[in-house]
Amino acid sequence: MKKILVIGGNGQLGNCIRKIAPDFELDYEFTFTDSQTLDITSEDQITSFFYDNKPDFCINASAYTAVDLAETEKEKAFRVNAEGVAYLAQACKDFKTTFIHVSTDYVFDGETNLCYSEDDFTSPIGVYGESKLKGEELALEINPKTIILRTSWLYSEFNKNFVKTMLNLFSQKDELGIVSDQFGQPTNANDLAEAIMNIIEAPQKTYGIFHFSNYPETTWFEFAKKIAEFSGSTIKLNPLTTEQYPTPAKRPKRSTMCLDKIEETYKIEPKHWENSLEECVEILSK
Ligand SMILES: NC(=O)c1ccc[n+]([C@@H]2O[C@H](COP(=O)([O-])OP(=O)(O)OC[C@H]3O[C@@H](n4cnc5c(N)ncnc54)[C@H](OP(=O)(O)O)[C@@H]3O)[C@@H](O)[C@H]2O)c1
């Protein structure tokens, strides 16, 4: 029986992996940790955990994900998203564990009219993106046998995310302004969890960076409109420009990622974002 260690088990992605884990229990034994049971900023904790457990796969679903707060908590963001990732990469190398790490579209500046491919120039415009990029670089430098999945606009029925925030606001307000000039690809974390398990099950592993999201691109405004439609809300949504909705951290204007590499390498076909969103809204509306 192969062992899978899921770090960040209480996060959105961690919970989505936990949800499908029973489907794989004949072949894999899962261990889920959270920041209390395994703090990735502690090298000692990681080393002793790997020594005791010797996982075959380590999925890092943990991260410092507070994009705006990161602007004032730079050190903390780098400690989790860069230093912690480096410790994990080293432990995976030492214990011959396949390392699957999750990163973000925010490593790009968003100044493109095309989609970003995996080897396109990275140039984050905020601290969160900078810290995640550093994590990618350290992971690959320390352990070239790392698989990095960059994803975007993650949501699920778990924890805090845009879909849950919208549903909450729809029940309190008659009218809402939503940014309509930022483009990206919403991703249901349940689809990402499935993609990760497909990679683990693949007989042949290709390492390096891969993009995974739902497709095609949309805006936060169109995303919100679909959430309203699928939830039966009659709220009036108004488009806003980025200038009309200032936030502490700048967001990329268009962080759409090309998805062909993961399709070709691992035969993982991304789903249409509207279909995946409908499934999530259905779960949340029960
Ligand atoms: N959310 C998005 O829109 C988005 C977009 C693109 C990429 N991503 C990436 O996708 C991945 C999954 O994101 P998510 O939305 O599922 O994250 P999330 O819901 O915010 O969960 C992150 C988890 O990380 C854990 N964590 C934080 N610091 C830790 C530490 N020092 N040691 C151990 N665990 C720690 C937290 O654990 P506790 O709860 O136990 O404190 C939390 O449950 C991350 O790599 C993120 O950067 C997310």
Side-chain angles (χ1 to χ4, degrees):
M1 179 97 79
K2 298 258 187 207
K3 291 180 180 178
I4 301 179
L5 166 61
V6 183
I7 293 175
N10 283 343
Q12 292 198 77
L13 176 59
N15 270 299
C16 292
I17 298 171
R18 199 191 292 273
K19 197 171 119 183
I20 57 170
D23 300 343
F24 297 91
E25 68 189 4
L26 290 181
D27 299 315
Y28 302 97
E29 182 190 315
F30 289 79
T31 303
F32 294 86
T33 61
D34 55 36
S35 58
Q36 298 299 309
T37 49
L38 180 57
D39 177 356
I40 67 161
T41 64
S42 163
E43 192 172 16
D44 289 348
Q45 278 190 36
I46 291 175
T47 309
S48 76
F49 193 94
F50 271 70
Y51 184 81
D52 292 343
N53 294 277
K54 300 187 178 57
D56 298 285
F57 298 93
C58 169
I59 304 169
N60 182 22
S62 78
Y64 177 103
T65 54
V67 175
D68 286 318
L69 205 55
E71 296 297 310
T72 47
E73 290 191 346
K74 187 169 180 170
E75 213 184 288
K76 196 169 169 193
F78 271 79
R79 219 177 313 128
V80 179
N81 293 344
E83 221 175 288
V85 174
Y87 298 149
L88 287 175
Q90 186 63 54
C92 287
K93 189 178 180 195
D94 296 344
F95 289 88
K96 299 196 170 17
T97 304
T98 302
F99 187 31
I100 301 174
H101 174 60
V102 181
S103 191
T104 172
D105 55 329
Y106 281 16
V107 297
F108 297 113
D109 65 12
E111 297 298 322
T112 181
N113 290 321
L114 306 166
C115 64
Y116 285 108
S117 70
E118 283 77 355
D119 46 17
D120 272 341
F121 182 67
T122 48
S123 175
I125 55 173
V127 170
Y128 167 74
E130 279 172 26
S131 67
K132 293 293 290 184
L133 178 61
K134 190 71 190 165
E136 289 186 1
E137 290 167 354
L138 289 169
L140 288 170
E141 194 183 301
I142 293 165
N143 182 1
K145 286 193 167 179
T146 293
I147 297 167
I148 294 176
L149 294 176
R150 286 189 188 135
T151 193
S152 55
W153 296 21
L154 212 57
Y155 67 88
S156 68
E157 65 268 40
F158 304 106
N159 298 37
K160 278 199 244 163
N161 56 62
F162 184 76
V163 175
K164 291 177 79 174
T165 302
M166 285 301 113
L167 290 174
N168 197 23
L169 289 172
F170 294 173
S171 66
Q172 295 168 17
K173 293 178 181 281
D174 301 321
E175 209 169 322
L176 203 58
I178 306 288
V179 171
S180 64
D181 58 0
Q182 288 170 22
F183 293 80
Q185 292 169 134
T187 306
N188 187 326
N190 288 287
D191 295 338
L192 177 59
E194 256 179 51
I196 290 173
M197 287 312 299
N198 283 339
I199 290 173
I200 285 179
E201 294 224 282
Q204 203 95 42
K205 301 283 184 283
T206 304
Y207 302 97
I209 300 175
F210 294 88
H211 290 169
F212 177 83
S213 68
N214 292 139
Y215 84 99
E217 69 171 18
T218 188
T219 63
W220 293 110
F221 177 66
E222 293 299 327
F223 190 16
K225 270 180 33 184
K226 278 290 162 193
I227 299 167
E229 183 189 319
F230 292 146
S231 64
S233 168
T234 52
I235 189 155
K236 184 172 186 296
L237 295 172
N238 304 312
L240 293 181
T241 61
T242 299
E243 286 70 33
Q244 288 172 310
Y245 189 77
T247 50
K250 283 207 282 177
R251 266 80 172 162
K253 255 194 255 158
R254 171 177 271 111
S255 56
T256 304
M257 300 184 295
C258 314
L259 306 172
D260 44 316
K261 185 178 170 191
I262 200 163
E263 263 189 278
E264 282 158 21
T265 313
Y266 283 108
K267 312 289 169 242
I268 293 170
E269 276 185 41
K271 292 188 195 162
H272 197 290
W273 70 265
E274 290 183 19
N275 297 337
S276 285
L277 174 64
E278 194 167 13
E279 284 169 21
C280 182
V281 174
E282 211 176 290
I283 292 171
L284 287 168
S285 306
K286 269 182 196 160

